[in-house]
Amino acid sequence: MTKQSLNDLAIFGGQPASETQLHVGRPNIGNRQQLLARINDLLDRRWFTNNGPYVHEFESRLSELLGVKHCIAVCNATIGLAITIRALGMTGEVITPSFTFIATAHALQWQEITPVFCDIDPQTHNLDPRCVAALITPRTTGILATHVWGRPCAIEPLIEIAQHHNLKLMFDAAHAFGCSYAGHMIGNFGEAEVFSFHATKFFNTFEGGAVTTNSDELAAKIRLMTNFGFSGYDRVIYLGVNGKMSEPAAAMGLTGLECLDEFVAVNRRHYKRYEEALADVPGVRMIQYEEAERNNYQYVVLEIDETATHITRDLISSALHAENVLARRYFYPGCHRMEPYRSYFPHAGLLLPETEKLCQRVLSLPTGTGVEAQDVDLICDLIRFVIEHGAEVSQKISSLTGAG
Ligand SMILES: Cc1ncc(COP(=O)(O)O)c(C=O)c1O
């Protein structure tokens, strides 16, 4: 550790601790030769999209891996969410977290369905089922819950509420590929689940996603809606859209699947290293994963308690950024504080106290195959140093920026 005094911190003019930028969500890449061989193949075949052989194979592999009956590969999770919402016939109001990526809310609002933002359980960061029940009105048609950080929602209570009130239940599983709940892979719960294979996710197809369901009827509908609603040549039977996954994306997916265990192993190793190194840093709590389940360990997330650190999450983040450690706030400031929802529901925050608190506390750290063990050590040393000098760092930054 090269930082001896405050002036050694890059934010005060010292040398950045890392020469290269360390990112959250730097893409994992499978075997390059395998990928290039597949790309060559598809070029030779001149079959680039429209349910090509790689997409077909990719869907079969995913169904097998997740133990789910149907898997429909899509161009991204946002479109996958929108199609599934429509295929389920959701209308009116749908209960969803504000502590999620904006795409969850947009997928509803895009089709004039009101996202009713619901508070979270501060322990799990997922929808609090008691708050869900309190928000049900005669206009409510469904629940769209996110498995935040890949940690499963309170699935059983949500199923109970949905059944009791005759609501559709679906999951935004964008973070949760490779994770399990009660020994079953995520992908099997609710009416359907939607994964993201965006480049920043644990497993990627450049851009992409998948919808999974055990319902034959729903799967058939979603499949057609993903391809404009075509049921055959010259015959359209639903309002569809272009949600198809391309062959190069599926080639990337097939290649990544071959390295999935390695991606998890690297993430888990980094997670454990962070956990050990940060265990005794006051005011820092790392989110935990249920070891008895399968996890992808893609998110190394700290909750910063500034009453103990004497420096805010945002200033810790600024200090890290100056060192080339690009830690990230997550879901800040909450969907309800972004447009158009901020204007639609200016008082939504009053019903979201836990969401509001969490948005101020969360800091996500670099991990994945783009990060080395020594990078993790360096990041932990920096966090420890900044927090050990929390009050002074905070004061010095404030005096430099003229902030009160
Ligand atoms: C929780 C959540 N939902 C939805 C999405 C949207 O996924 P995509 O980028 O594949 O559309 C993301 C990430 O991008 C996400 O994190």
Side-chain angles (χ1 to χ4, degrees), residues 18 32 121 128-129 170 181 218 230 273 283 334 358:
S18 174
R32 191 180 292 245
D121 176 337
D128 182 337
M170 62 177 281
Y181 173 80
L218 184 64
F230 276 108
R273 205 173 179 93
L358 193 63

Side-chain angles (χ1 to χ4, degrees), residues 124 126 146-148 150-155 176 179-182 186 293 295:
T124 66
N126 285 326
T146 303
H147 303 300
V148 174
R151 298 193 302 179
C153 293
I155 291 178
C179 304
S180 70
Y181 173 80
I186 294 295
E293 299 287 350
N295 299 291

Side-chain angles (χ1 to χ4, degrees), residues 75-81 99-104 146-148 172-175 194-201 207-209 299 330-331:
C75 58
N76 61 58
T78 308
I79 291 289
L81 286 167
F99 193 72
T100 182
F101 185 58
I102 196 71
T104 320
T146 303
H147 303 300
V148 174
D172 178 337
H175 289 191
V194 182
F195 294 100
S196 172
F197 304 143
H198 182 257
T200 54
K201 299 295 186 280
E207 289 264 10
Y299 298 91
Y330 247 78
F331 305 141

